[in-house]
Every structure is written in C-alpha cells, then in structure tokens.
Amino acid sequence: MTRAFLPDVLPHDVVMAVVDAGRRAPSAGNSQGFAFVVLEGADQTARYWDATLPDRASFGFPGLFDAPVLVLVLAHPQAYVDRYAEPDKASTGLGAGVDKWPVPYWTVDAAFAAMLIQLAAIDAGLGVLFFGPFEHEDEVLSVLGVPDGYDAIGTIALGRPDPARDTRAGTSATRPRRDRAEVIHWGRW
C-alpha cells in the first residue's frame, strides 16, 4: 500500500482503463450493483479531503493528500433486491428485501470491483491505497452528489508512489503474515 504519492497528473486514458477493470467484476445474478466516483486532480480530490479530514495538519501520512486520483467505490443494495425479484431469480426469496440476504453480496461484489481496480493500477505501475470514509460517509456522499441508496465501501487513492516520502509503514505492517497451515485447510478443517 502506498501512503505517499507524487502529485503528477495521471493520463486520463490510464485512469479510465484502471477504473474500467472494476466495472468487469463478477456480481451475484449479474446485478452489477456497484458504481465509482472518480476524482481527478487536486481541485476534485480536495472536496473529498475537506469532507473527511478538514484538519489535515496532524494526519500521519500527509503524502496521501498528493494522490492525483481518488476512486470512491459504492454499493447499491437495492439493485440486488430488484434483480432477485425478477422471474429467473424470484424463487430464491432474495427479492423480498435486503434483510433476506444472509450475506450482503453488494458489499462482496463492490469489494471485488475495488480489488480489480487496485490490481489494474498495480499492473499499470501505479501505487494504491484502499481506505474507508468511516464516520464521514454521509458527508462524502452528499458532497459528491451520490444518489440515495448507495453505500460507500471505500476509497482507492491512485498515483505514482513517492518513495522518498513513503518511508513510514502503517502500524499494521509489523504484524506477521499468518502461516499457510493456519489459513489453508485441505479437504476439511
């Protein structure tokens, strides 16, 4: 994860290709209930930062503010309910409401889309950081004009890494990776 970016503008066609990778993510019932708000350039990204971190002076990773692109990943639960109310899916009962879903696939599918965007960015030689708007979700959605019914899953910062300023890893980076035997179970648990 990149925590300091060069402020260099990214070519729009590169940004389009990277974000378009997310559009091709798999989705339950091909509901495609995800969307992206792409903020390019300091003027647009500042609106996001003003909504989420109006006092940026004490933030531990100031190089993050130089990311030239932010992608807000959104999920639309009602798209899944509507899709599963259609005749070919109605027998599942999932079209009766979001509360009928044992797993919120709108979140799962939006997360798939976010991962595809990040992998496409890395393949394009860019740095990425995924983070959430947390308690500022409502303000971000409002500032960016997102219609009602969408949930902010997270934000992806995109840009060229600035290794001279990205010298401080997050505290989570010191946690060791779990051993394969703890994670992978062959045949049964």
Side-chain angles (χ1 to χ4, degrees), residues 33-49:
F34 41 77
F36 318 111
V37 176
V38 182
L39 305 172
E40 291 183 279
D43 290 344
Q44 290 186 13
T45 60
R47 293 186 352 228
Y48 181 94
W49 296 122

Side-chain angles (χ1 to χ4, degrees), residues 17-94:
V18 164
V19 177
D20 192 51
R23 186 181 58 84
R24 295 188 303 271
S27 67
N30 203 15
S31 300
Q32 302 177 59
F34 41 77
F36 318 111
V37 176
V38 182
L39 305 172
E40 291 183 279
D43 290 344
Q44 290 186 13
T45 60
R47 293 186 352 228
Y48 181 94
W49 296 122
D50 289 345
T52 60
L53 284 169
D55 178 18
R56 298 192 262 289
S58 63
F59 186 68
F61 298 99
L64 177 58
F65 303 127
D66 289 327
V69 177
L70 297 176
V71 180
L72 182 63
V73 179
L74 304 162
H76 190 227
Q78 192 61 44
Y80 290 77
V81 173
D82 293 346
R83 171 66 181 106
Y84 277 77
E86 292 177 18
D88 66 318
K89 299 288 186 188
S91 66
T92 66
L94 299 174

Side-chain angles (χ1 to χ4, degrees), residues 85-154:
E86 292 177 18
D88 66 318
K89 299 288 186 188
S91 66
T92 66
L94 299 174
V98 295
D99 60 325
K100 300 299 181 190
W101 287 73
V103 173
Y105 269 84
W106 43 91
T107 301
V108 172
D109 293 349
F112 287 157
M115 181 57 77
L116 287 176
I117 291 170
Q118 291 174 88
L119 292 173
I122 291 166
D123 284 349
L126 301 175
V128 300
L129 181 68
F130 182 87
F131 55 94
F134 303 110
E135 69 273 9
H136 303 287
E137 177 181 3
D138 291 342
E139 187 170 353
V140 167
L141 296 177
S142 176
V143 164
L144 298 179
V146 176
D148 289 343
Y150 283 86
D151 300 329
I153 299 304

